[in-house]
Amino acid sequence: MPAAAPASPRRARPAQLAPLAARQALPSPLLPPGLLERLLAEAMGRGADFAEVYVERTSTTAVVLEESRIKSAQVGLVQGVGVRVITGAKVGYAYSDDWDEPALFRAARTAAMISQGGGAERAFPIKRVAVPSHYRVAQALEDVAVARKTALLTRADKAARAFDSRIQQVNASYVDQTRHIAVANTTGRYSVDTQDQSRMSVHVVALGKGGERRTGMYGSGGRVSFSYWDGVTPESVAEEAARQAIATLGAVDCVAGPQTVVLAPGWSGILLHEAVGHGLEADFIRKGTSLFAGKLGEKVASDLVTVIDDGTVSNARGSINIDDEGNPGERKVLIENGVLKGYLFDQLNAKLMNQRTTGSGRRDSFKSLPLPRMTNTFLAPGDHAPEDILKEVKRGLYCATFGGGQVDISNGNFVFEVSEAYQIEDGKLGRPVKNAILIGVGPEALKNISRVGSDPMPDPGMGICVKDGQMLPVGVGLPTVRIDNVTVGGTKVG
Amino acid sequence: MNYEQLAKKIVQRAVKRGAKQAEAYLEVGRQSSVRVREGQIEDLTEATSKGVGVRVFVKDRLGFAYTSDFTPAGLERVVDLAVQLAEAAAPSKLNGLPSAKDLGKRGDTGLLFDPKVANLPGDWKINAALEAERAGRAEDARVATFDSVSAGDFVSEVYLASSEGATGGYSGTYVYLVAVPVAAQDGQLQTGFWLDYKRFFDDLESPESIGRQAAKRAVRMLGAKSVKTCQVPVVFDPLVAANFVQNIAQAADGNAVYQRSSVLAAHVGKKLAGNHITLVDDGLLPRGLATAPFDGEGVPTRRTPILDKGVLSGFLYDAFTARKAKARTTGNASRGYSALPGIGTTNLYLEPGAQSPEDIVRQVPRGLYVTALLGHGADPVSGDMSCGANGLWIENGELTHPVQEVTVAGNLLQMLKDVDAVGSDLQFRGGSAGAPTVRFRQLTVSGA
């Protein structure tokens, strides 16, 4: 069952944006095109419809702060090559983290075993295609000195502790990744991309009266240059985490049962990700295991609902110049004014369903097969002023910040966890509420959306989506929204 | 390549480069998996992989680097990086590798490696998956399709060497079978998976049984609806009870307890549950999935009771956290090559009781039998738990209609007190955490 969550618990001179041309002219650190062509030929050696070579080299830097000290700094390199061969609906896959030619050819031959025929000797020339740029960075994050990264966390720790004397524990982490990928396939398509991502998170524990402990968690990031942290400062991230923890001290038990809920803008986009996004992924649709299968053109949500998945948002965490099959990321309207308009396709499911890929084939590394996945998923803004949405609710629950969520694709049941919530009484925020969770069935919840705010907002940039054990960076976004008659989990009855 | 020798060489190089202490943790594996659907192979994957993580201490500062590049240049680079990175960390007197005293004598793990699994023919996986799918379809006509049926195996080797005298290696085997059918009726779809995951081929549940059980679990959810909000007795089936057990273990993390960011921190030595609650982490459990001679930093694994007849008796530690908390490491350093050791569980289980699961349900006049949870479980800091739940309604001791779109909520401390029955049906399914059927006197069920 797929799930998404904010990534759990982690001064520089502003850098200049390098011209795009300079970046693309860098010598590829990956395999030479000639070798890719020979591997493709080997993979087609027993006859097949299609073969692909996926090359990846990812370096990761991670810094952890605990008890006001930099506990550790680490750097890692993972690299490998995956070879995929498709015959009809059958897929053979093999990968190797050894870049020696004999190991690579062995992988190609292993993947080829899925085909039973004898292939004729053929050449599969490839041609590098131009790739759009949605996230140029001035300097690869792997080339930024570690000391500049550790400094962010020290500043965050100080700011969180200075925020309120009741802040007892601060754990902060910073992680970045520079991921170089190259994808070549037997249609001749060869594309290369570098995908940087940077993310900081701060996790705090506040101590209240009578030993009460509340946590706060906040972070930020994206496919950004390191200079991003001059704008979104570690102080601002830490203060938001501390604010959440302090605000929820003295929270009362959540009342269980159906309520009217108002969702604050931003992270609440997890609702869309779980309630509709996963159910529109083409693998579930093709297999008929999603409740959205066969519903194209049908009304699946209220008129106010327009859902978009967009891999082309500048510098967003879920953006992709190319997906992991080498196709460009796209902007897709999935639901328009409540009507189901489209699904998310990778290449294989698109072919089997006689459709066009939407550039949604993503994988977490060379060790995995691509799956249709979301990028940045958001709800288009509506006409309602956010203040009015709250004012109209006599009694209900205001959901301010969110933990993770999960969905069961077949029956559409989804949950999402609310880490900061308040009672609404006569259109105003009341006491904080603890331990709230929302549960619903995708289309029903979407039909119950009765107000959509005019205040679109993306999440701050640290979402992780899990499907089949594969973890990917994603973005979500939602304006202020009111949903009627939502089942709220809690401990208090009546 | 002799990997144990390689690990030692890496340590020597790190010491030569200025590390006061150094450790190399090396993993090598090969795996193979197959998925079938509608009587056909969907995909087949085969691979080998390896990697090494190098941990060093330079003047009480920690540095760590890892790589999957085993070329001589790649290995030199990872060592140099680890040493350089130590400069970026703060010094701490508590830093360091486990001492010779911590390393101690290793316990008896029994066998970890099954040649039958290591030499499983590719055909077996394909046939087993196809058989599980056939059996699932035969079980009930309402099984409309399968999300997937998969089978796979892997062989993994771990090698470790340290400047403090830790050395060793072991290899283990794993085999699994998973079926995920989707049942349909009156426009409603329901899924229900069933799986088994073992070290030894002969311990694995038969493909036919996996397929049938998965189908039964999917079909019995057809027609599921919400129930009215109520406070009733709630029974967790063993899969769901294993989640509860993991939530408690998460709060028994020695570091969280030291930082007082665990709901259990204030309760050491206190009786938190009835005598029928004994929760154990055992790295030496015979045939256990997580059984190993040593943990992620070379310390012998052992049996650590967390709750002993209801009394909170122990927390889990690695070497660093134990030093901080003035405790002894419990051999619970958990890691892969690409991560620093952190505290984790090995084989974690709630000891079974005497009652059959049927009896546990039979004693409930009105309540909920939970077979799946949605969400992340309990917050280890506050102990608050709120999850989406699927299951079956209990009326007069009988399982009646299926239930979905409800949540169950409580607090770990209260839930521990409220456990009023533990079943005799302990099982480890799909992982190294196991539990029998568990009943809570009362939880809040939130619904329509």
Side-chain angles (χ1 to χ4, degrees):
Chain A
M1 281 180 242
S8 70
R10 330 206 175 308
R11 167 140 52 183
R13 215 172 47 212
Q16 298 289 308
L17 277 188
L20 180 61
R23 188 69 194 269
Q24 287 197 332
L26 286 173
S28 166
L30 305 174
L31 299 182
L35 176 55
L36 295 174
E37 287 176 347
R38 286 190 291 131
L39 287 169
L40 286 172
E42 186 79 22
M44 296 295 277
R46 294 166 71 101
D49 300 335
F50 174 86
E52 166 199 82
V53 179
Y54 177 83
V55 191
E56 181 195 356
R57 180 182 184 281
T58 296
S59 62
T60 305
T61 301
V63 189
V64 176
L65 175 140
E66 213 180 87
E67 293 156 28
S68 299
R69 290 164 192 271
I70 298 296
K71 187 183 169 198
S72 64
Q74 56 174 282
V75 169
L77 174 74
V78 173
Q79 58 179 22
V81 177
V83 182
R84 180 165 66 139
V85 176
I86 302 179
T87 295
K90 286 194 279 191
V91 177
Y93 195 66
Y95 63 81
S96 167
D97 50 21
D98 191 338
W99 290 40
D100 264 8
E101 279 199 24
L104 298 179
F105 280 94
R106 201 155 49 235
R109 277 194 301 277
T110 306
M113 302 284 272
I114 201 77
S115 315
Q116 299 301 322
E121 288 247 331
R122 273 183 62 195
F124 294 92
I126 55 175
K127 190 163 183 293
R128 176 129 171 214
V129 295
V131 160
S133 177
H134 307 303
Y135 38 78
R136 287 176 227 194
V137 303
Q139 177 188 24
L141 292 163
E142 64 184 339
D143 297 333
V144 175
V146 175
R148 296 172 68 189
K149 300 171 184 177
T150 60
L152 296 178
L153 299 188
T154 312
R155 286 167 57 193
D157 180 63
K158 277 207 186 84
R161 290 180 190 275
F163 184 84
D164 193 297
S165 60
R166 289 170 289 176
I167 299 294
Q168 298 283 297
Q169 288 294 340
V170 180
N171 289 309
S173 65
Y174 170 88
V175 180
D176 68 36
Q177 226 172 46
T178 298
R179 181 172 182 252
H180 305 279
I181 58 171
V183 197
N185 67 35
T186 48
T187 70
R189 191 178 174 87
Y190 168 44
S191 36
V192 173
D193 193 25
T194 296
Q195 303 175 337
D196 288 84
Q197 60 166 63
S198 178
R199 162 166 76 75
M200 172 171 37
S201 44
V202 179
H203 185 261
V204 306
V205 179
L207 179 66
K209 287 186 190 132
E212 182 194 12
R213 283 184 168 76
R214 292 282 142 209
T215 55
M217 215 261 279
Y218 195 68
S220 189
R223 299 203 185 280
V224 294
S225 291
F226 194 74
S227 58
Y228 174 80
W229 302 109
D230 296 340
V232 178
T233 61
E235 287 79 10
S236 67
V237 171
E239 281 161 12
E240 172 56 20
R243 187 202 61 74
Q244 285 175 25
I246 297 294
T248 50
L249 283 173
V252 295
D253 286 330
C254 184
V255 176
Q259 295 194 45
T260 299
V261 302
V262 176
L263 309 180
W267 263 131
S268 47
I270 291 176
L271 170 84
L272 285 183
H273 181 102
E274 305 298 352
V276 279
H278 280 298
L280 300 180
E281 290 165 347
D283 47 351
F284 300 126
I285 299 297
R286 176 173 64 85
K287 294 175 179 180
T289 57
S290 160
L291 82 168
F292 287 105
K295 297 215 169 126
L296 228 44
E298 286 183 25
K299 185 98 189 209
V300 294
S302 104
D303 291 344
L304 305 176
V305 173
T306 293
V307 179
I308 292 157
D309 184 80
D310 191 350
T312 70
V313 181
S314 281
N315 300 103
R317 188 164 153 80
S319 292
I320 45 175
N321 291 333
I322 52 168
D323 70 1
D324 296 306
E325 300 181 306
N327 297 304
E330 291 183 16
R331 182 181 198 274
K332 301 139 313 244
V333 177
L334 302 176
I335 294 176
E336 193 169 23
N337 303 325
V339 177
L340 183 56
K341 289 288 184 186
Y343 299 125
L344 296 164
F345 289 100
D346 62 330
Q347 220 164 262
L348 176 65
N349 286 292
K351 178 158 184 268
L352 296 174
M353 293 171 76
N354 234 338
Q355 299 286 324
R356 183 187 74 79
T357 176
T358 55
S360 306
R362 303 184 68 191
R363 48 181 142 196
D364 67 354
S365 81
F366 66 90
K367 295 185 179 179
S368 306
L369 282 164
L371 296 171
R373 300 288 291 264
M374 284 172 266
T375 56
N376 307 294
T377 314
F378 57 87
L379 185 71
D383 301 331
H384 302 104
E387 322 70 91
D388 294 346
I389 295 178
L390 183 63
K391 241 183 263 168
E392 285 168 7
V393 178
K394 258 201 112 44
R395 246 180 95 91
L397 190 73
Y398 184 76
C399 304
T401 53
F402 301 85
Q406 197 178 357
V407 63
D408 184 335
I409 297 301
S410 61
N411 58 27
N413 280 204
F414 70 87
V415 295
F416 79 130
E417 294 153 0
V418 189
S419 46
E420 181 188 358
Y422 300 87
Q423 293 169 338
I424 307 175
E425 277 151 19
D426 293 324
K428 293 201 183 82
L429 295 191
R431 296 196 64 171
V433 160
K434 66 182 186 188
N435 209 11
I437 185 170
L438 309 184
I439 186 162
V441 174
E444 283 172 28
L446 295 178
K447 283 175 185 158
N448 287 338
I449 292 184
S450 57
R451 298 285 184 278
V452 176
S454 54
D455 54 342
M457 193 189 288
D459 69 75
M462 54 171 207
I464 287 180
C465 168
V466 186
K467 175 176 172 180
D468 271 14
Q470 290 194 49
M471 312 217 307
L472 285 182
V474 292
V476 295
L478 204 77
T480 300
V481 157
R482 167 176 152 184
I483 318 178
D484 302 326
N485 199 26
V486 180
T487 299
V488 178
T491 43
K492 201 169 140 195
V493 175
Chain B
M1 189 182 298
N2 184 329
Y3 289 113
E4 202 166 334
Q5 283 305 321
L6 179 62
K8 284 182 187 163
K9 268 194 187 150
I10 291 170
V11 167
Q12 283 162 10
R13 181 180 168 87
V15 170
K16 216 178 274 173
R17 289 278 158 171
K20 191 170 81 184
Q21 296 187 329
E23 170 198 78
Y25 182 90
L26 214 145
E27 281 179 299
V28 185
R30 65 179 163 89
Q31 65 108 0
S32 155
S33 64
V34 58
R35 283 197 299 183
V36 305
R37 199 168 167 270
E38 313 287 347
Q40 300 283 330
I41 294 173
E42 202 177 7
D43 51 61
L44 244 165
T45 299
E46 288 203 31
T48 56
S49 59
K50 60 191 171 346
V52 62
V54 181
R55 183 162 64 136
V56 300
F57 293 94
V58 183
K59 295 186 191 138
D60 297 331
R61 295 169 192 262
L62 167 62
F64 180 69
Y66 60 90
T67 188
S68 68
D69 178 3
F70 273 37
T71 58
L75 292 172
E76 279 186 22
R77 185 174 172 270
V78 73
V79 172
D80 295 351
L81 261 176
V83 173
Q84 276 168 31
L85 281 161
E87 280 172 31
S92 167
K93 289 277 171 236
L94 298 171
N95 272 338
L97 295 175
S99 65
K101 198 174 89 192
D102 290 329
L103 295 174
K105 193 171 171 287
R106 288 176 189 158
D108 179 16
T109 60
L111 291 176
L112 304 177
F113 186 92
D114 182 4
K116 267 195 206 165
V117 173
N119 303 315
L120 258 192
D123 282 5
W124 179 87
K125 276 162 282 191
I126 296 166
N127 293 332
L130 289 172
E131 194 184 333
E133 191 188 38
R134 264 197 310 272
R137 280 197 179 281
E139 177 66 32
D140 198 299
R142 289 168 293 174
V143 172
T145 185
F146 281 77
D147 178 68
S148 67
V149 184
S150 42
D153 55 57
F154 56 106
V155 179
S156 106
E157 299 167 48
V158 170
Y159 302 93
L160 182 135
S162 88
S163 59
E164 306 313 290
T167 177
Y170 59 91
S171 56
T173 49
Y174 308 86
V175 57
Y176 65 86
L177 190 54
V178 188
V180 190
V182 176
Q185 186 175 270
D186 302 330
Q188 192 186 61
L189 301 180
Q190 292 289 353
T191 183
F193 66 94
W194 194 243
L195 77 167
D196 202 16
Y197 181 12
K198 291 286 184 328
R199 272 188 185 277
F200 292 86
F201 186 76
D202 294 337
D203 292 349
L204 195 73
E205 190 173 329
S206 77
E208 195 206 342
S209 170
I210 297 270
R212 285 190 182 278
Q213 190 62 24
K216 278 183 197 160
R217 288 175 72 93
V219 167
R220 71 181 181 183
M221 286 306 296
L222 286 168
K225 53 185 192 230
S226 189
V227 294
K228 284 251 176 288
T229 300
C230 54
Q231 288 179 315
V232 288
V234 172
V235 180
F236 280 5
D237 85 356
L239 260 77
V240 173
N243 282 319
F244 171 67
V245 163
Q246 283 172 299
N247 283 158
I248 299 171
Q250 213 187 339
D253 174 306
N255 198 39
V257 170
Y258 174 81
Q259 296 194 340
R260 305 198 70 75
S261 52
S262 159
V263 66
L264 297 181
H267 299 277
V268 193
K270 284 192 200 155
K271 187 145 171 102
L272 298 182
N275 288 334
H276 50 299
I277 299 290
T278 292
L279 173 63
V280 174
D281 182 74
D282 187 357
L284 294 171
L285 185 75
R287 298 169 99 80
L289 275 182
T291 301
F294 53 84
D295 73 354
E297 48 187 0
V299 172
T301 57
R302 68 198 70 183
R303 181 179 190 278
T304 306
I306 296 171
L307 289 160
D308 194 359
K309 294 193 165 50
V311 176
L312 182 61
S313 56
F315 298 120
L316 307 177
Y317 292 102
D318 60 6
F320 173 66
T321 334
R323 226 172 273 137
K324 269 207 304 196
K326 299 194 168 52
R328 287 290 302 276
T329 167
T330 53
N332 282 93
S334 159
R335 69 182 297 184
Y337 76 84
S338 62
L340 278 164
I343 297 169
T345 56
T346 59
N347 303 293
L348 175 77
Y349 63 98
L350 185 64
E351 283 189 356
Q355 276 183 294
S356 73
E358 292 79 13
D359 280 346
I360 289 177
V361 170
R362 205 170 294 136
Q363 293 153 3
V364 177
R366 208 170 144 265
L368 182 65
Y369 180 73
V370 180
T371 56
L373 290 179
L374 277 179
H376 295 81
D379 170 5
V381 178
S382 64
D384 291 334
M385 187 209 67
S386 200
C387 282
N390 276 348
L392 298 153
W393 188 249
I394 309 172
E395 199 74 53
N396 298 324
E398 303 275 336
L399 299 177
T400 58
H401 65 85
V403 174
Q404 68 173 9
E405 217 192 328
V406 300
T407 69
V408 291
N411 184 281
L412 283 183
L413 290 179
Q414 188 60 43
M415 288 172 80
L416 275 173
K417 268 188 214 139
D418 278 349
V419 173
D420 67 355
V422 175
S424 55
D425 54 339
L426 167 65
Q427 46 188 304
F428 290 87
R429 195 158 294 273
S432 57
T437 299
V438 167
R439 187 178 67 209
F440 302 93
R441 194 183 57 81
Q442 177 178 289
L443 286 178
T444 304
V445 176
S446 180

